[in-house]
Amino acid sequence: MSNHLSDRIQNMSTSATLAMAAKARELRNEGKDIIGLSLGEPDFNIPDFIKEAAKQAIDDNYSSYTPVDGYAELKKAISLKFKRDNGLEYGPNQIVVSSGAKQSLFNIAMVVLNPGDEVILPAPYWVSYSDIVKLAEGVPVEVKTDIDTDFKMTPAQLEAAITPNTRMIWFSSPCNPSGSVYSKAELEGLAEVLKKHPNIYVVSDEIYEHINFAGGHVSIAGIEGMYDRTVTVNGVSKAFAMTGWRIGYIGAPEWIAKGCTKLQGQVTSGANAIAQRAVITALEAPVSKIQYMIDEFHKRRDLVLGLLGEIEGFNLNVPEGAFYVFPDISAFFGKTLNGTTINNASDFALYLLEHANVATVTGEAFGNPNCIRISYAASEKELKEAIARIKAVV
Ligand code: PMP
Ligand code: GLU
């Protein structure tokens, strides 16, 4: 079959998280007993009060195109949420609702970057950042961090990575994949460097904000001097277990929000109407309504850390948020396990899939080739079984 795909698509990598999830599904269909710890997707059902709001929205005939940037009532709820949870004041002209935070990120890249603009990505970074930046003809610039610094970028590293072409910095806190959470003091340190470089913008991906076991999420937009140069990205996929409903949003300087709305007007016409109505209810609810999920993730994190900590060769940090562990498994490189030589993290992840029937994701996709990512958004039973299987084959 001939291949007429554009260079753009040929040069793009497939999302490693989604690819691994698809591979696990395929193997399961072949009858294999695969435990999937590859996808960052809460295993909870959507809370009933949100489902009720969606049902009501159908009955109330919310079936037409919505405003491109989102229903006014939803933007009001987002504005109140930013104020309540983050102490940030975003007016309606600064908020854009999109079909998932992933689309919000894509919009930002397309709206802010010119070809050749550099985007600093503290690595490990979320798998899609690099390809989204490249799609917008930007240049990802990785800043390597490792387990010894809890996978966080220091002000000195940031300073050293800045060039005259640097246009943006993208990061997530709590971080996917490392689970690291930047403290206020750490963010202030980064902001101090940025003071000297007024043309650099920040994308602060806060989609795991509520899944934070250390308490005290801090938004970099709230730090002195940062508000006018930060885009705060968030969404409902993680905290409300609404991955398939595809709603994300930004609070941004007005010119960026305007650009994103213009782009969306030509690409999607706006996010799904029923999902938007349901999200109004989700965001208006107090965080206490979803605390049971956060508590459960916390419990599972401790369980997973304890069990993986017993396996020789797994070097772990203590993730303070999100629902991933990101062990450094480089101790296995060069070793042969059951006839398979492990040369890198991809070999190791494949080995676990084939020999333990456990799906994880290679750290290479996140810009760290010494680690693998294990999502603990799975039941306690599955987690225990998966780690026992891993232990048995390594
Ligand atoms: N940012 C991060 C850090 C993520 O882990 C995800 C995972 N889906 C997203 C953004 C995108 O979320 P969604 O598009 O489902 O809102
Ligand atoms: N963000 C999740 C993950 O990292 C979901 C998959 C995706 O959107 O790529 O696994």
Side-chain angles (χ1 to χ4, degrees):
M1 199 168 55
S2 59
N3 179 351
H4 298 293
L5 285 174
S6 65
D7 295 346
R8 186 183 304 117
I9 288 299
Q10 297 207 53
N11 293 337
M12 193 172 93
S13 2
T14 300
S15 161
T17 48
L18 300 184
M20 198 54 155
K23 173 114 190 131
R25 216 174 288 133
E26 195 183 299
L27 291 172
R28 232 176 257 132
N29 288 342
E30 287 170 15
K32 290 216 169 117
D33 170 26
I34 303 289
I35 303 182
L37 306 184
S38 57
L39 201 57
E41 170 156 75
D43 56 321
F44 297 102
N45 290 325
I46 296 176
D48 284 341
F49 73 97
I50 302 175
K51 287 188 201 165
E52 289 309 320
K55 290 176 198 165
Q56 189 62 48
I58 294 173
D59 288 341
D60 290 346
N61 296 309
Y62 281 99
S63 47
S64 313
Y65 287 124
T66 78
V68 171
D69 53 349
Y71 282 120
E73 296 90 332
L74 175 54
K75 294 205 292 174
K76 178 96 196 291
I78 291 170
S79 180
L80 290 171
K81 171 253 154 338
F82 273 132
K83 178 94 191 114
R84 177 191 71 185
D85 299 338
N86 313 111
L88 299 172
E89 302 271 0
Y90 287 118
N93 296 337
Q94 296 177 278
I95 292 170
V96 181
V97 179
S98 300
S99 304
K102 202 180 250 180
Q103 195 206 352
S104 303
L105 291 162
F106 175 76
N107 286 348
I108 296 162
M110 293 297 280
V111 160
V112 176
L113 299 177
N114 278 315
D117 283 348
E118 293 175 2
V119 177
I120 294 178
L121 305 180
Y125 49 79
W126 181 48
V127 66
S128 294
Y129 289 176
S130 162
D131 275 285
I132 289 175
V133 166
K134 284 193 232 162
L135 211 46
E137 296 179 71
V139 180
V141 175
E142 294 185 12
V143 173
K144 300 280 182 196
T145 71
D146 58 28
I147 193 162
D148 299 331
T149 49
D150 196 23
F151 298 109
K152 290 183 210 170
M153 176 171 69
T154 63
Q157 283 179 308
L158 171 60
E159 180 99 66
I162 292 173
T163 77
N165 295 326
T166 307
R167 182 78 165 133
M168 305 190 92
I169 299 162
W170 286 25
F171 75 107
S172 60
S173 176
C175 173
N176 178 1
S178 69
S180 302
V181 174
Y182 282 86
S183 69
K184 183 157 189 258
E186 285 162 343
L187 293 175
E188 281 169 348
L190 299 177
E192 197 57 36
V193 173
L194 292 174
K195 260 190 197 163
K196 290 176 259 172
H197 304 277
N199 296 323
I200 300 178
Y201 286 81
V202 174
V203 165
S204 177
D205 182 343
E206 305 184 10
I207 196 157
Y208 294 97
E209 139 184 54
H210 294 305
I211 308 170
N212 178 337
F213 319 125
H217 172 79
V218 183
S219 295
I220 193 166
I223 294 196
E224 202 204 322
M226 293 306 299
Y227 178 77
D228 288 331
R229 45 198 298 203
T230 299
V231 184
T232 308
V233 177
N234 213 321
V236 293
S237 283
K238 312 298 170 174
F240 297 94
M242 294 177 75
T243 47
W245 292 51
R246 311 305 306 127
I247 299 288
Y249 55 88
I250 58 169
E254 210 170 308
W255 63 272
I256 294 180
K258 230 170 146 176
C260 292
T261 303
K262 185 175 174 185
L263 173 62
Q264 234 168 240
Q266 294 284 25
V267 180
T268 63
S269 307
N272 177 285
I274 304 299
Q276 284 194 50
R277 300 311 301 185
V279 171
I280 298 172
T281 301
L283 293 181
E284 282 177 347
V287 179
S288 57
K289 285 257 201 189
I290 52 166
Q291 190 61 40
Y292 67 98
M293 291 191 262
I294 302 165
D295 291 344
E296 186 59 32
F297 285 130
H298 193 169
K299 231 170 77 193
R300 293 181 195 172
R301 181 206 62 177
D302 292 343
L303 172 80
V304 165
L305 280 183
L307 294 174
L308 285 177
E310 290 169 9
I311 306 179
E312 203 177 318
F314 275 66
N315 189 10
L316 292 145
N317 68 321
V318 178
E320 290 183 333
F323 36 64
Y324 309 102
V325 287
F326 198 60
D328 183 315
I329 43 78
S330 56
F332 293 99
F333 297 173
K335 296 207 167 134
T336 300
L337 304 171
N338 290 312
T340 305
T341 305
I342 309 293
N343 286 318
N344 49 51
S346 300
D347 288 348
F348 192 75
L350 201 62
Y351 174 78
L352 294 184
L353 183 64
E354 286 173 353
H355 290 260
N357 283 347
V358 176
T360 60
V361 188
T362 172
E364 269 165 51
F366 304 92
N368 186 318
N370 291 333
C371 299
I372 58 165
R373 190 190 77 174
I374 298 176
S375 160
Y376 56 83
S379 71
E380 221 174 282
K381 185 162 165 265
E382 281 179 305
L383 292 169
K384 281 184 182 159
E385 168 67 17
I387 298 171
R389 288 190 198 175
I390 294 174
K391 195 171 178 181
V393 300
V394 302

